[in-house]
Every structure is written in structure tokens, then in C-alpha cells.
């Protein structure tokens, strides 16, 4: 089924600004992103959270370089920026979380995932999971072709409707957004091509 502008406009409504609203009533987002090699990913992801409507954003950066974390903090003063440490076992208390942009190591040992939250998992976030069954229940997973192959143990990148139908059976309550020559959005019920 082809997705067009009309389909999107039915889902996404214009933002109606209220005068008596505070940042916590607009929602909070926790982001685990960035590293010594890819600090820009953390900045871009945090800014995107604000632009898309989050009122309060917490960013945990995977870096041992305190100066780098401070530079990121200065770059995005509207975000609460902290260094991700090994004792951050209860850092996710919000309803939404993005994990992975710019990460270069697994977060598996931090035990930060639970099945009561919504996650967007991208890039380095995939390092924490061996198979699709290991991802949190209500995840939105956003791989490119190579990451897609790794997650589903595929030896080739030939994209077909039959392949997507096999993938659908494994998703359960997860959503897959495959970044390729087209964008493929795959749920347990539908396959969209954008």
C-alpha cells in the first residue's frame, strides 16, 4: 500500500500551542547517544526531540572525556546532558527513549531496557541485541540495509515482499523502519513503502 501526503495528514495533526503549558506536560525524552567518535549524533538527536515536541530532554553521552561532554552541554543548553556511566542502571524513567545514534559499544550491561517503555533504537543501539527477539517489546527499530541483515541473520540484501512477510512474523509489537533506496515501514500487520 502506498503512503501519500493525505495518509500522513490523517495521523499527524497540527500542533496547537497552549499558553498555560509547561515543559513536563509536553512529554519527556531520554536519549542515550554519542561517543568520543560521534558526538554530533547526540546533538542532532537531542535537537530533533525538541523540534518534534518533547518538553524536557535528558541526554546520556557514552564518553569518558569530560571535556567533550561539557562541549555538548554548551552546544545544546536546553538539554540536560550527563555522561553515561556503568552505574546508570535506572536512568530511563520516561515514557520514550532513543538509544543508539553515535554509540560505539553495547549498552547491554547497563540493564536500561524494560518492556514498559517505548524505544527508538538506531545505529549503535543494535549492539546490545543478538536477535530481533531480544529487542524490547514496543521498539521502533531503524536499521539501514547492513544492520537489517545483521539483526535478521541474512546473508544477502535482496529486498522482496516475501522477505518482508517473513520478517513481519518475527516483529510482534515492534515496528521496523528500514532505511534503504526507499523507506520500508514494517509492522506485524502492514508493509508500507515511502
Amino acid at each position: 500500500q502506498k503512503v501519500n501526503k493525505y495518509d500522513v495528514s490523517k495521523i499527524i495533526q497540527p500542533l496547537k500551542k497552549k499558553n498555560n503549558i509547561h515543559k513536563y506536560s509536553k512529554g519527556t525524552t531520554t536519549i542515550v547517544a554519542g561517543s568520543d567518535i560521534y558526538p554530533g549524533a547526540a546533538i542532532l538527536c537531542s535537537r530533533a526531540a525538541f523540534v518534534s515536541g518533547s518538553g524536557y530532554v535528558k541526554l546520556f553521552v557514552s564518553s569518558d572525556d569530560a571535556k567533550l561532554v561539557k562541549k555538548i552541554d554548551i552546544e545544546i543548553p536546553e538539554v540536560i546532558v550527563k555522561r553515561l556511566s556503568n552505574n546508570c542502571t535506572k536512568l530511563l524513567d520516561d515514557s520514550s527513549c532513543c538509544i543508539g545514534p553515535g554509540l560505539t559499544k553495547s549498552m547491554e550491561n547497563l540493564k536500561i531496557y524494560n518492556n514498559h517503555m517505548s524505544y527508538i533504537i538506531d545505529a549503535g543501539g543494535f549492539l546490545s541485541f543478538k536477535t530481533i527477539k531480544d529487542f524490547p517489546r514496543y521498539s521502533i527499530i531503524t536499521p539501514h540495509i547492513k544492520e537489517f541483515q545483521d539483526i535478521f541473520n541474512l546473508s544477502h540484501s535482496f529486498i522482496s515482499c516475501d522477505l518482508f512477510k517473513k520478517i513481519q512474523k518475527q516483529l510482534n509489537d515492534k515496528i521496523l523502519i528500514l532505511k534503504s533506496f526507499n523507506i520500508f515501514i514494517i509492522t506485524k500487520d502492514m508493509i508500507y513503502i515511502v
Side-chain angles (χ1 to χ4, degrees):
Q1 181 177 2
K2 188 175 180 181
V3 177
N4 60 41
K5 186 177 178 180
Y6 176 73
D7 296 321
V8 174
S9 68
K10 288 191 303 187
I11 298 168
I12 301 174
Q13 300 297 316
L15 180 65
K16 295 177 182 169
K17 291 188 178 184
K18 297 178 183 176
N19 292 334
N20 61 349
I21 197 167
H22 60 82
K23 63 184 173 185
Y24 298 108
S25 63
K26 289 177 65 179
T28 59
T29 302
T30 298
I31 298 169
V32 180
S35 61
D36 296 331
I37 301 170
Y38 304 113
I43 295 168
L44 290 172
C45 191
S46 298
R47 286 185 175 151
F50 268 111
V51 169
S52 62
S54 185
Y56 184 76
V57 178
K58 294 183 289 186
L59 168 64
F60 291 86
V61 181
S62 178
S63 174
D64 294 326
D65 185 348
K67 288 181 181 178
L68 176 65
V69 175
K70 184 67 176 166
K71 284 181 184 179
I72 293 171
D73 191 21
I74 291 168
E75 180 71 25
I76 44 175
E78 65 274 18
V79 174
I80 305 301
V81 180
K82 296 183 179 181
R83 188 177 69 80
L84 185 65
S85 62
N86 286 334
N87 60 2
C88 289
T89 55
K90 176 84 174 75
L91 60 99
L92 304 179
D93 54 3
D94 300 324
S95 60
S96 62
C97 179
C98 177
I99 298 176
L103 292 181
T104 56
K105 59 185 176 185
S106 171
M107 298 291 111
E108 185 177 25
N109 64 329
L110 294 181
K111 309 263 187 279
I112 56 177
Y113 300 100
N114 69 58
N115 278 325
H116 305 292
M117 290 181 51
S118 298
Y119 295 94
I120 297 174
I121 303 175
D122 185 58
F126 303 135
L127 298 171
S128 300
F129 308 100
K130 291 178 179 67
T131 69
I132 189 65
K133 293 176 189 170
D134 299 328
F135 283 81
R137 184 171 179 190
Y138 298 107
S139 302
I140 298 174
I141 305 162
T142 62
H144 58 63
I145 289 290
K146 175 66 172 104
E147 294 163 336
F148 175 74
Q149 290 174 331
D150 293 344
I151 292 167
F152 291 98
N153 248 344
L154 302 171
S155 59
H156 60 80
S157 61
F158 182 71
I159 293 175
S160 70
C161 195
D162 290 337
L163 173 63
F164 289 157
K165 286 179 181 177
K166 288 178 186 173
I167 298 299
Q168 271 184 307
K169 293 175 184 171
Q170 299 176 49
L171 288 178
N172 297 320
D173 294 318
K174 301 168 191 80
I175 297 171
L176 179 87
I177 301 175
L178 176 59
K179 302 176 285 191
S180 182
F181 53 90
N182 284 338
I183 306 287
F184 298 94
I185 303 170
I186 306 167
T187 70
K188 64 182 177 183
D189 303 315
M190 295 290 293
I191 299 170
Y192 301 92
I193 303 171
V194 183

